[in-house]
Every structure is written in C-alpha cells, then in structure tokens.
Amino acid sequence: MRLPKTIRNLIEQFEKLPGIGPKSAQRLAFYLLHVPEAELEKMGRAFSELKKGTLLCEVCHNVGEGERCEVCSDMTRDQRMICVVEQPLDLIALEKSNNYKGLYHVTHGAISPLNNIGPDQLFIKDLKDRISDGKIAEIILATNSTMEGEATAMFIKKMIEGVGVRGLKVSRIGLGLPVGADIEYADETTLSRALAGRGEY
Ligand SMILES: [Zn+2]
C-alpha cells in the first residue's frame, strides 16, 4: 500500500533529523495525525519562527536573541577567560555546571577532513581577533574528546601560538571526561571536575 503523499512527505522530513530512522519517522507522522489541527499549527509556527527569532552572537557565536548573547552582555563575568566549545549545547552544559564565569567562543563544529570540514567552515579564525589586544589571560579548549575535537583543539592551540600574545595560557579540559565523549552529555559533576582539573595544553 502506498501512503498518501502528505504523510510520505512528512516522514521524509522527519528522517532528516538526527537520531530519527525510517521507523521512528513513520511513527511520528502517524502520531501527528491524531493531534488536533490547532496544536499542529502551533508546532508548525514554532518551526518556522525558529530561525527568525534567533541570532548568533556577533562576538562568541552563541545563540541568542540580539547581536550580543546573554553571556557576552554580562559585564560581571570574567572578561579575561574564553572557553572554546563546539556547540551552543556544550555552552549550556558548562553553564549548568555553574562554576565557570568567563566568556565563551562557539566554533559550531569540529575540524573533520573526512567530512570536508576545515577551519574555514567554522568560527575559529575570529578567535584571533578576540585575543590580539592582550586582555585575555586564558583560553580553555573544551572541544569534545573525539578525534575531531582533539584536532580542533590542536589547530586552535597552534593558531593562538602563532598570534604570539605574551602571558596567554592555553589549557585543555579533560580530567574525568571519557575519551570520545561529548561535552553536551557529560553530567554536571564531571564537567565541574573537568574544568577545575584542566591542564596546560
Ligand atoms: Zn556571545
């Protein structure tokens, strides 16, 4: 039996989402058939407004609602520290761990030659501009401990050394984080410990 075109179309869209296979996509589509139309319209609006209502921070590239995100606008935070993470969700995880009060830089991915992702596809190079005035005392590299995350950390370390800011310390988050782990999924205690136990890189 061939499914109606609108259902097939919806299934195809769901399949594009991470972690959703054909079976789950089908289940979701049929589930939605039972949801009242007003509810569906609300969901649809949430989808279409997602991009319109969010902006990437012009300084750190975190997601926010204005040109500067909440973290960058908060002058009570330590303006001499930048923690580099791959994704906004990593930033949120670190914020929940509640013992880091510095700034961030979100690269929006990791260097992955196999997937044709190089530094130019990511927000990496503008980190140089943020350190060039010499006001930053420490960069904490909190990219994931995957192969791609390590390659990204190594690239950034070399790039920073190339700028040659005197007294700038580069450290790497690590202790307690299993190899291959995503920062996003680490629990708060592990993240706190990993931050506290960061080593010079
Ligand atoms: Zn920001």
Side-chain angles (χ1 to χ4, degrees):
M1 190 198 102
R2 219 168 136 78
L3 293 172
K5 201 171 162 224
T6 44
I7 298 184
R8 267 187 286 141
N9 181 26
L10 188 59
I11 292 172
E12 261 170 46
Q13 298 307 319
F14 279 137
E15 280 181 35
K16 292 178 187 165
L17 298 173
I20 305 281
K23 278 253 165 85
S24 310
Q26 213 168 38
R27 212 173 302 133
L28 283 170
F30 278 91
Y31 169 80
L32 289 176
L33 272 180
H34 298 290
V35 173
E37 194 153 354
E39 239 353 84
L40 282 184
E41 264 160 29
K42 232 200 229 165
M43 282 183 203
R45 266 203 304 281
F47 271 111
S48 59
E49 282 165 8
L50 179 65
K51 283 275 182 168
K52 286 179 216 139
T54 48
L55 278 176
L56 286 191
C57 172
E58 60 179 12
V59 180
C60 75
H61 316 295
N62 179 22
V63 285
E65 290 176 311
E67 280 169 0
R68 289 203 172 198
C69 73
E70 226 174 278
V71 175
C72 290
S73 323
D74 183 355
M75 285 304 146
T76 66
R77 298 187 70 112
D78 189 343
Q79 306 289 316
R80 295 164 307 146
M81 284 175 106
I82 296 179
C83 180
V84 182
V85 293
E86 291 180 25
Q87 299 294 350
L89 280 173
D90 301 329
L91 183 157
I92 291 165
L94 282 162
E95 282 297 287
K96 271 198 202 136
S97 80
N98 216 6
N99 73 351
Y100 177 70
K101 293 289 171 231
L103 306 173
Y104 290 95
H105 193 85
V106 188
T107 59
H108 286 265
I111 294 172
S112 171
L114 283 178
N115 296 308
N116 282 323
I117 301 173
D120 291 335
Q121 275 79 50
L122 306 166
F123 292 111
I124 285 182
K125 292 197 168 154
D126 60 342
L127 185 59
K128 275 201 280 193
D129 306 328
R130 296 184 69 186
I131 59 169
S132 58
D133 63 2
K135 285 183 185 153
I136 301 294
E138 182 174 359
I139 301 272
I140 304 167
L141 300 170
T143 50
N144 292 332
S145 62
T146 54
M147 231 163 65
E148 291 82 7
E150 294 295 346
T152 309
M154 187 49 79
F155 180 89
I156 294 173
K157 179 187 150 74
K158 285 194 178 138
M159 185 188 80
I160 291 169
E161 283 170 354
V163 180
V165 181
R166 263 212 282 160
L168 174 63
K169 185 175 154 197
V170 181
S171 55
R172 176 87 171 106
I173 195 170
L175 195 78
L177 281 179
V179 171
D182 272 19
I183 303 278
E184 180 195 337
Y185 299 117
D187 65 89
E188 284 147 37
T189 319
T190 306
L191 270 181
S192 291
R193 264 191 229 147
L195 256 181
R198 66 185 179 269
E200 197 145 341
Y201 190 56

